Amino acid sequence: VSALVVEDAPEAAALTAELLRSAGLEVSVAGDGAAALAAVTSGRFDLILLDIGLPDTDGIELCRQVRGLTDADIVMLTASDDEIDKVVTFKLGADDYVTKPYSPRELLARIEALMRRSRREAPPSLSVRRYGGLEVHPDAHRGVVDGQDVTLTRIEFAILDVLTEHPGRVLSRDALRERVWGADWFTGDHVVDVHMANLRRKIDPLDGPSRILTIRGVGFRMAETGTA
């Protein structure tokens, strides 16, 4: 597992990098936004720890740019809860955030939860699930809308995968949270809703109803019955 630490304070970057290496990760370090973008463009990372307070760019804007280049899990590092707009950050593609000063145990627990979620395998089937103009390719982690590939984050694809695995079943937010994030994940309903909204924007027709129905007070299910 490879990780990129984006942190402008050398001592903090060194401590975080050493912590990750002690957990068995291969670690690179970038000291500013430009270096981070260069690293992501030229390398392949599974995890990115991104400090929100960088000297040359806004961390939230950098998160948006990085998300456009990689499907790596992104954890924002922030000096205070007040410094970060959680909803905006999740909309731009972050997977989690950690407030400084954080304990090594807390950070490693969150990273391990992310890695467990990322390692979850799709159902062992080569079939393609079709819902009108939407195709879901579980083994390839690929979504296609009207013949065009759509770029989905790992979380977005995981939500789509879970919903299309049993298309007639309504899944509550708690069930989605457990299946997608894991039973020990630190998140709330608003995080599920933000990622669901991001997914809908990518797979729904511009002038038509959503392909994912919200069943008020219950949860979510696919709007159409899929075929394999």
Side-chain angles (χ1 to χ4, degrees), residues 110-130:
R110 287 174 178 258
I111 290 172
E112 176 58 26
L114 278 172
M115 294 297 99
R116 282 200 302 271
R117 192 205 70 222
S118 298
R119 288 194 298 263
R120 285 197 181 94
E121 296 181 355
S125 170
L126 296 176
S127 63
V128 177
R129 305 167 190 164
R130 294 183 173 88

Side-chain angles (χ1 to χ4, degrees), residues 80-93:
S80 70
D81 282 339
D82 295 336
E83 185 183 37
I84 188 169
D85 186 324
K86 304 176 189 64
V87 173
V88 169
T89 302
F90 287 129
K91 283 183 178 179
L92 294 179

Side-chain angles (χ1 to χ4, degrees), residues 19 96-113 186:
L19 176 65
D96 197 11
Y97 76 97
V98 177
T99 303
K100 300 177 182 178
Y102 49 79
S103 71
R105 179 178 297 179
E106 177 193 6
L107 181 60
L108 289 179
R110 287 174 178 258
I111 290 172
E112 176 58 26
F186 313 90

Side-chain angles (χ1 to χ4, degrees), residues 69-225:
L69 298 170
T70 179
D71 65 351
D73 293 311
I74 300 176
V75 178
M76 302 296 288
L77 304 177
T78 173
S80 70
D81 282 339
D82 295 336
E83 185 183 37
I84 188 169
D85 186 324
K86 304 176 189 64
V87 173
V88 169
T89 302
F90 287 129
K91 283 183 178 179
L92 294 179
D95 298 289
D96 197 11
Y97 76 97
V98 177
T99 303
K100 300 177 182 178
Y102 49 79
S103 71
R105 179 178 297 179
E106 177 193 6
L107 181 60
L108 289 179
R110 287 174 178 258
I111 290 172
E112 176 58 26
L114 278 172
M115 294 297 99
R116 282 200 302 271
R117 192 205 70 222
S118 298
R119 288 194 298 263
R120 285 197 181 94
E121 296 181 355
S125 170
L126 296 176
S127 63
V128 177
R129 305 167 190 164
R130 294 183 173 88
Y131 302 82
L134 170 67
E135 296 180 4
V136 181
H137 300 250
D139 296 278
H141 279 235
R142 178 180 171 221
V144 179
V145 175
D146 297 328
Q148 300 293 318
D149 281 274
V150 291
T151 302
L152 301 175
T153 67
R154 292 180 184 180
I155 287 180
E156 290 162 1
F157 184 84
I159 292 173
L160 187 61
D161 184 34
V162 169
L163 287 172
T164 58
E165 186 179 2
H166 302 288
R169 181 183 301 173
V170 178
L171 293 176
S172 67
R173 286 176 175 81
D174 286 342
L176 273 176
R177 190 160 45 233
E178 182 169 347
R179 290 288 305 278
V180 173
W181 282 269
D184 56 352
W185 188 242
F186 313 90
T187 190
D189 287 347
H190 71 285
V191 176
V192 176
D193 292 341
V194 168
H195 286 291
M196 184 67 72
N198 290 344
L199 173 61
R200 281 170 160 157
R201 278 195 294 270
K202 294 180 180 181
I203 68 170
D204 286 349
L206 292 176
D207 55 354
S210 176
R211 290 187 162 101
I212 300 173
L213 295 180
T214 298
I215 310 303
R216 188 175 299 275
V218 183
F220 306 93
R221 70 169 175 84
M222 296 302 297
E224 299 183 52
T225 300

